[in-house]
Amino acid sequence: MNSHYARLNRIAGQPRRLEAAQFAYHQGDDVEAIYLLRWGSVRLARLSLDGHETTLAHFGEGVCFGEAEVLLGLESRECFAQATCDVVIAPILLRNLGPDDIAELNRLAVNRLYRAQLCMAEMIGQHPSKRVASLLRYLSSHGATIRLSHDEIGMTTDCPKEVVSQTLRQLAKVGAVAVERGAIKVLDRRLLEA
């Protein structure tokens, strides 16, 4: 955790535990806080008018989420944040954020956007198994443990669940990852690149 996240950790409110599939916030909720993800993983998604869900991002422990609407000056959430496993989050109320915090969150958000764009550009046109490996490599930059189901990886990479399962077995066989119940541990990011 870098020094700024350490400061955010100090000004964060009482930690809250969410079970898998519970929401940190819903689309349309008032923007009152950002969240520090202390443990677990959260997916950020948007629900269209016709009821279709689109996953926009996954966040792992040690990072903040929910800052986009704050940085854009929006009053309500444009997406929802849902736990993908049991998680611990700590709210950081907007009134506790100073100008330096907002500037740092802006820098971190731009960095996150840039990394996501690189990941997406890398995945376009790739074989499905390579899309899975690229996503794991991107997510492991936020922490070595990824807490996503095979279905969630499949939705994000536009791959059938069978392809995700087969790819994870192959990656485990070569020592790139270890697949455990509810978690994928990245053991060697270089093997994911290969």
Side-chain angles (χ1 to χ4, degrees):
M1 184 178 289
N2 70 32
S3 61
H4 190 76
Y5 281 130
R7 175 184 148 51
L8 290 175
N9 195 37
R10 285 192 303 274
I11 65 173
Q14 184 67 31
R16 187 172 107 196
R17 186 178 177 89
L18 299 177
E19 293 180 6
Q22 280 189 298
F23 293 89
Y25 54 82
H26 295 277
Q27 192 168 317
D29 283 355
D30 290 341
V31 178
E32 299 171 342
I34 62 172
Y35 297 88
L36 184 62
L37 183 54
R38 290 193 174 159
W39 191 88
S41 65
V42 169
R43 82 178 175 115
L44 189 67
R46 182 169 173 79
L47 190 62
S48 68
L49 293 175
D50 64 1
H52 180 74
E53 283 185 15
T54 302
T55 299
L56 304 172
H58 292 279
F59 301 108
E61 49 204 60
V63 301
C64 282
F65 66 95
E67 77 281 6
E69 291 93 346
V70 173
L71 296 173
L72 292 170
L74 303 176
E75 294 181 6
S76 62
R77 297 287 182 188
E78 298 215 334
C79 304
F80 63 85
Q82 184 178 34
T84 61
C85 60
D86 290 352
V87 302
V88 176
I89 61 173
I92 301 169
L93 298 177
L94 299 186
R95 66 176 180 257
N96 294 337
L97 293 172
D100 289 344
D101 298 320
I102 297 294
E104 182 65 9
L105 286 171
N106 194 26
R107 188 190 70 73
L108 293 167
V110 168
N111 184 287
R112 183 184 294 158
L113 175 62
Y114 177 69
R115 298 282 171 219
Q117 288 173 331
L118 290 177
C119 179
M120 292 279 110
E122 189 176 293
M123 288 192 327
I124 292 172
Q126 281 189 350
H127 185 274
S129 61
K130 287 196 172 260
R131 291 198 302 265
V132 171
S134 292
L135 177 67
L136 295 177
R137 193 173 74 249
Y138 168 71
L139 293 174
S140 70
S141 66
H142 301 302
T145 301
I146 299 163
R147 300 183 197 288
L148 296 177
S149 71
H150 293 198
D151 286 332
E152 289 164 329
I153 293 171
M155 286 186 335
T156 305
T157 58
D158 195 29
C159 295
K161 183 178 178 178
E162 299 77 33
V163 170
V164 173
S165 298
Q166 180 183 23
T167 301
L168 290 174
R169 281 193 300 274
Q170 290 170 344
L171 291 171
K173 188 175 181 178
V174 298
V177 301
V179 180
E180 301 171 357
R181 183 164 174 79
I184 301 164
K185 290 190 177 182
V186 175
L187 304 175
D188 191 332
R189 291 186 80 230
R190 291 172 299 162
L191 289 175
L192 290 176
E193 292 171 12

